[in-house]
Amino acid sequence: RNSKFSRKNWISSSISECDWEGVTCDSDIVTEISAINMGLTGELPKELFTLRTLVELDLRGNSISGTLPEDIGNLSSL
């Protein structure tokens, strides 16, 4: 499975998620992900669906594959 969710500084354990390109935080809590046209491919990482404070998720212009898991219901603030 070839996934490109590591593009640029994405999904790097060496830096805070709040420093990732396209990620907005409020008091070190991820609230928005705007990864428009970033060339992301593959399935959405399961960790994405644990971000219960997420109020905006914009992945337009990428080649995301797979199905949305039931866990998307955890993102009740979207």
Side-chain angles (χ1 to χ4, degrees):
R1 171 169 116 181
N2 184 14
S3 183
K4 198 174 178 186
F5 271 93
S6 59
R7 185 176 189 291
K8 297 193 179 182
N9 58 355
W10 272 64
I11 315 298
S12 171
S13 60
S14 64
I15 61 172
S16 166
E17 294 89 351
C18 295
D19 292 327
W20 295 351
E21 182 178 348
V23 174
T24 302
C25 293
D26 183 10
S27 300
D28 292 327
I29 297 172
V30 176
T31 57
E32 298 178 17
I33 298 176
S34 181
I36 302 167
N37 296 317
M38 284 186 59
L40 299 175
T41 60
E43 295 182 7
L44 295 172
K46 63 183 178 187
E47 294 83 5
L48 177 67
F49 302 101
T50 64
L51 299 173
R52 288 179 164 77
T53 56
L54 202 60
V55 294
E56 182 176 322
L57 176 62
D58 194 341
L59 301 173
R60 287 179 285 157
N62 292 289
S63 296
I64 309 300
S65 61
T67 58
L68 292 174
E70 288 183 26
D71 291 346
I72 196 165
N74 293 338
L75 305 178
S76 59
S77 295
L78 280 180

